[in-house]
């Protein structure tokens, strides 16, 4: 197996990335995760549309490419990004790291939220993320978990997203 993969990929060109993001849940805002508007009485607060999943994935990609983080690319002090569609930002991140010579191999993620139930929205989120990053839907994983009512997620004060990715540097 190692020999087979090694013959296709130069291991020195492989990079892993890790991203994490948190936004507060508040009344009067939309809940948008993976570009999907989810029915809920609370939404995520933030400068952009506060899509924690898209932000965590963006940071995983930028981390793997050693290109800083989403705050460096899209500062929340910049009025151009007020209310921004985070899928568009993720698309820009994917384009940026491709320009740096990287190809996205695989992305996995976890959303920690006490409510609402997210599994009905999973495939639509994967489809949106696939389109935004220009990779196959099979290479995008999304899992959701509660925190058993523990911590800020458990008290429905906020939602956390974690993401990991593998990139390869093109020769
Ligand atoms: Mg964020």
């Amino acid at each position: 197996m190692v020999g087979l993969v090694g013959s296709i990929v130069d291991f020195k060109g492989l990079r892993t990335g890790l991203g994490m993001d948190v936004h507060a849940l508040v009344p009067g805002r939309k809940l948008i995760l993976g570009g999907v508007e989810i029915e809920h009485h609370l939404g995520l607060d933030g400068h952009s549309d506060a899509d924690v999943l898209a932000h965590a994935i963006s940071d995983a990609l930028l981390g793997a490419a050693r290109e800083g983080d989403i705050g460096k690319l899209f500062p929340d002090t910049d009025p151009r990004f007020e209310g921004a569609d985070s899928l568009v930002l993720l698309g820009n991140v994917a384009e940026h790291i491709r320009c740096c010579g990287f190809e996205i191999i695989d992305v996995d993620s976890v959303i920690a939220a006490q409510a609402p139930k997210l599994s009905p929205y999973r495939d639509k989120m994967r489809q949106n993320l696939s389109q935004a990053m220009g990779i196959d839907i099979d290479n995008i994983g999304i899992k959701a978990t509660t925190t058993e009512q523990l911590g800020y997620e458990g008290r429905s004060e906020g939602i956390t997203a974690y993401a990991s990715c593998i990139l390869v540097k093109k020769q």
Side-chain angles (χ1 to χ4, degrees), residues 20-23 48 50-52 55-56 70:
M20 181 261 198
D21 194 34
V22 182
H23 281 265
S48 65
D51 185 335
V52 279
H55 293 180
I70 193 173

Side-chain angles (χ1 to χ4, degrees), residues 45-88:
D45 199 18
H47 186 64
S48 65
D49 63 6
D51 185 335
V52 279
L53 179 59
H55 293 180
I57 293 173
S58 296
D59 263 1
L61 297 175
L62 290 167
R66 315 296 186 250
E67 281 296 311
D69 58 34
I70 193 173
K72 182 179 156 193
L73 246 67
F74 312 113
D76 63 7
T77 48
D78 190 329
R80 283 179 304 160
F81 304 125
E82 192 171 342
D85 178 342
S86 297
L87 280 187
V88 173

Side-chain angles (χ1 to χ4, degrees), residues 36-52:
V36 179
E37 191 175 330
I38 290 165
E39 251 182 77
H40 196 45
H41 66 288
L42 300 171
L44 292 171
D45 199 18
H47 186 64
S48 65
D49 63 6
D51 185 335
V52 279

Side-chain angles (χ1 to χ4, degrees), residues 21 32-35 44 50-58 90 109-111 125 129 141-142 160-163:
D21 194 34
I32 296 174
L33 292 170
L44 292 171
D51 185 335
V52 279
L53 179 59
H55 293 180
I57 293 173
S58 296
L90 176 61
S109 62
V110 186
I111 303 168
M125 290 187 224
L129 295 166
I142 302 175
T160 307
Y162 304 89

